[in-house]
Amino acid sequence: MDVTLHLAQDPEADELLGRSPLAALVGMLLDQQVPMEWAFKGPRTIADRLGTDDLDAHEIAAQDPEAFAAVLSDKPAVHRYPGSMAKRVQQLCQYLVEHYDGNAELVWKGVGDGRELLRRLEELPGFGKQKAQIFLALLGKQLGVRPKGWREAAGAYGEAKSYRSVADITGPESLAKVRAHKQEMKAAAKAAKAAKTAGK
C-alpha cells in the first residue's frame, strides 16, 4: 500500500495514511464527532508522540492504558474524547494482534468477495456497518482493493462519482463537495425530525 491520500489535508499525515494500513484504519476509527481532517491527522500525531515512523499494533496493544491515553490527551489532543478514543484504538490493535498477527492489511489482503470484506471490517472494534462501508469504499476507490462485489457491499458509499464520504476525497474540491453533502443530509434529518414533532 503506497498511495497519496488527501484526508488529513496535511502532507505528512496523508503520507502515513497512504502507506500504513493500520494508520488508515485508526484514522477511520477516530473519524467521529470531530472534523475529518482532525481525525485523519491523528495517526501521524500518535506515531510522532510514540517516537516512531509508523503505528505498530503490537506496540499499541501492549501499552499501559493510562500512558496511552496520555499520548492522545497531550495538547493538542488527538480527539475531542482522547481518553475513550485511546481505549478504542487499543481495542482495535489488540483485536488485530489476536486475529491478524498485528498486520492490519491482512483484514483485506486476498479477500475475494466484497461481502466477506465488509463482514471482516464490521467485526473490528469500533466499526459499525456505516464506518465499515465507508472504509470499504475507501479501499476500493483509492487503495486499489477491489474484491468482487465491493461496490455493492459498500452500499451508496461505493457508487462512482458520488461525494458522500472520506472515500471520495482526493483534494480540496472534493472535500468541499463531501462537506456540502453532509450538511444537506444533516439539514434533511433535522427537517424530518421537526416534521415528525409537528405532526404529534
Side-chain angles (χ1 to χ4, degrees):
M1 194 166 117
D2 196 4
V3 296
T4 303
L5 292 175
H6 300 277
L7 305 180
Q9 304 287 306
D10 171 286
E12 285 184 12
D14 281 327
E15 184 274 331
L16 177 61
L17 295 169
R19 71 177 158 83
S20 167
L22 180 56
L25 272 180
V26 169
M28 191 73 227
L29 180 68
L30 294 171
D31 187 22
Q32 59 191 59
Q33 298 173 303
V34 293
M36 184 204 72
E37 300 94 318
W38 184 6
F40 282 97
K41 208 172 178 176
R44 175 84 259 173
T45 307
I46 294 168
D48 288 346
R49 289 178 186 173
L50 292 175
T52 174
D53 191 37
D54 194 359
L55 298 181
D56 181 310
H58 290 276
E59 187 191 332
I60 292 172
Q63 288 264 338
D64 171 72
E66 281 183 29
F68 189 65
V71 167
L72 273 74
S73 302
D74 262 5
K75 299 280 182 261
V78 166
H79 194 275
R80 183 178 291 151
Y81 305 107
S84 62
M85 290 318 275
K87 198 173 171 181
R88 286 190 174 186
V89 171
Q90 279 199 293
Q91 286 169 341
L92 173 65
C93 289
Q94 285 156 357
Y95 182 89
L96 291 170
V97 167
E98 279 173 39
H99 297 267
Y100 296 100
D101 197 27
N103 183 349
E105 194 174 16
L106 294 180
V107 174
W108 55 85
K109 199 170 184 182
V111 178
D113 177 74
R115 276 179 308 189
E116 166 66 11
L117 179 49
L118 181 64
R119 187 187 64 75
R120 287 183 176 206
L121 290 168
E122 285 186 77
E123 284 174 353
L124 298 175
F127 277 67
K129 183 167 187 182
Q130 186 182 35
K131 200 179 273 289
Q133 285 187 313
I134 292 171
F135 194 78
L136 175 52
L138 178 67
L139 286 170
K141 290 180 175 183
Q142 297 199 46
L143 299 171
V145 177
R146 300 181 181 117
K148 189 171 161 248
W150 71 271
R151 283 192 191 274
E152 291 76 10
Y157 300 107
E159 288 173 14
K161 296 186 175 67
S162 65
Y163 293 96
R164 284 192 170 86
S165 71
V166 298
D168 305 302
I169 295 169
T170 52
E173 195 182 318
S174 48
L175 171 62
K177 287 181 181 177
V178 169
R179 279 244 154 83
H181 173 76
K182 285 190 172 179
Q183 282 164 346
E184 278 170 32
M185 297 304 284
K186 268 188 188 159
K190 206 172 172 182
K193 194 177 176 185
K196 199 174 175 186
T197 309
K200 278 184 179 171

